[in-house]
Amino acid sequence: MNILIKSAKVYNSNNKDIHLKTKDILIKDGIITKIADAITPEKETKVISKKNLCISIGWLDTSVSFGEPGFEERETIANGLKTAAKGGFTDIILNTNTNPIPYTSSTIAFIKDKAKEQITNLHPLGALTVNSETVDLAELYDMKNAGAVGFSDYKKPTSNSNLLKIALQYAQNFNALIYSFPMDTKIAGKGIVNEGAVSTGLGLKGIPALAEELQIARDLFILEYTGGKLHIPTVSTAGAVKLIAEAKKKGLDVSCSVAIHNLLYTDEKLEDFDTVYKVLPPLRTKKDVTALVKGVKNGTIDFVTTDHAPLDIEQKKVEFDNAAYGTTGLESSFGILNSIFDTETAVEILSKGRERYGLQTPEIKEGNTACFTLFDNDTLHYVTKQTSTSTAKNCMFFEEKLKGQVFGIINNTKLDIL
């Protein structure tokens, strides 16, 4: 297929010759063959021409859950990747909350096989421990050889300090990335929301910021002792940002992410007991939101993720105490980030991070494979239950005014565009 992208504003800070300039881009059989101010289309060429068309390298989300295998009613891999494409993502990192939990090379191979021939690339995480029970290390080396890009027990803290120490030491033999979810379960107790004035007023048990910060402090001490590569997913407190900033100044190989909803909302959203706002880590305070946004801007926080977690209505339409944690967000992420930050920063956030997972970063360059996200950076846009592609409808961003809209993606010699 030949594709000609007409008059697109290019967002590519690594190439100053085309960054923020309007260009035509010709793609033949998935390869970028020409970039110029104006290109005349040849016969049998699909021309993409839209008002306020912008383009960047394809976007990456580092924390995505679907359902398959085991929970296909929540989201299949095929439909989940279709949803990711609609959100502008050419690559996603898949979490380990499936059934069976992927703690063997055969399960990793199964997941990768299910994602073949899709327009969006799926890169699976493997479980850090057998069945994610946080007791015995899983087959890390074999899973990496099968295609796992890191190791995580999804939303489960590694309470055994020695286990994390051994994992970091062992993983250095094959340059693997180890996750540690930041929550001390003893401090968190039976808390389900942020501990503070809102939780007290609502009569809900709280998770103090201390639970996150104590775990992170412990993990960073272990990392300093062992060496290795540590990733702390979805931090949510001002104290966590400070701890990680100090660790990076020491030269420790640590990265972290924040969920997009923790950059936008505070725990005041809980006042109506709407379970769509029940997430883990919980929505925190304005002080935390301010620190997290600053952490993204100054580079302390490496990634912003949707932490996309599709759930059945039976898991959300229940009493707040009994509801499951999680929200979807793949289709809303650009509009939210583009509202919090300027477009250039939002695109940079969405585009970076592949190197941490050993993945190749695409380039907008003649002779390279086309891996693009196409979008409008200004039009006001809404995602609703009716327009959402995701099977699950537990999205806290429905009806939220979003600045900018994704037109689609080009990847793997395929085109998916509005």
Side-chain angles (χ1 to χ4, degrees), residues 146-161:
V149 295
F151 301 99
S152 163
D153 290 331
Y154 179 70
K155 304 286 186 186
K156 292 183 178 180
T158 308
S159 57
N160 184 334
S161 301

Side-chain angles (χ1 to χ4, degrees), residues 75-94:
E75 193 89 272
T76 63
I77 287 174
N79 195 73
L81 292 176
K82 183 179 177 182
T83 303
K86 189 175 178 182
F89 294 98
T90 58
D91 294 83
I92 63 102
I93 307 296
L94 187 69

Side-chain angles (χ1 to χ4, degrees), residues 67-215:
E68 189 176 11
F71 305 108
E72 287 80 1
E73 69 280 1
R74 299 179 191 172
E75 193 89 272
T76 63
I77 287 174
N79 195 73
L81 292 176
K82 183 179 177 182
T83 303
K86 189 175 178 182
F89 294 98
T90 58
D91 294 83
I92 63 102
I93 307 296
L94 187 69
N95 291 317
T96 58
N97 52 335
T98 56
N99 186 20
I101 289 169
Y103 70 91
T104 64
S105 57
S106 59
T107 315
I108 295 296
F110 170 83
I111 291 170
K112 286 184 67 69
D113 187 66
K114 292 290 290 187
K116 277 184 179 178
E117 308 302 323
Q118 299 291 334
I119 190 168
T120 294
N121 303 316
L122 182 155
H123 310 285
L125 293 170
L128 180 63
T129 61
V130 175
N131 271 326
S132 286
E133 293 171 348
T134 69
V135 177
D136 299 308
L137 280 185
E139 302 172 357
L140 306 189
Y141 179 71
D142 289 346
M143 282 192 286
K144 181 165 188 190
N145 287 339
V149 295
F151 301 99
S152 163
D153 290 331
Y154 179 70
K155 304 286 186 186
K156 292 183 178 180
T158 308
S159 57
N160 184 334
S161 301
N162 192 53
L163 185 66
L164 180 63
K165 176 180 76 73
I166 292 169
L168 285 166
Q169 290 173 327
Y170 174 54
Q172 291 177 60
N173 293 303
F174 43 97
N175 196 32
L177 181 63
I178 300 298
Y179 276 53
S180 181
F181 183 66
M183 188 174 74
D184 184 304
T185 55
K186 298 296 184 183
I187 298 291
K190 295 182 179 179
I192 56 174
V193 297
N194 178 59
E195 182 182 85
V198 173
S199 66
T200 302
L202 297 176
L204 296 172
K205 294 178 180 177
I207 302 173
L210 177 64
E212 181 169 310
E213 293 156 13
L214 192 62
Q215 187 84 357

Side-chain angles (χ1 to χ4, degrees), residues 83 86 331 383-393 398:
T83 303
K86 189 175 178 182
E331 296 164 292
V383 176
T384 67
K385 286 185 179 180
Q386 290 71 36
T387 61
S388 175
T389 303
S390 178
T391 305
K393 305 302 178 184
F398 284 154

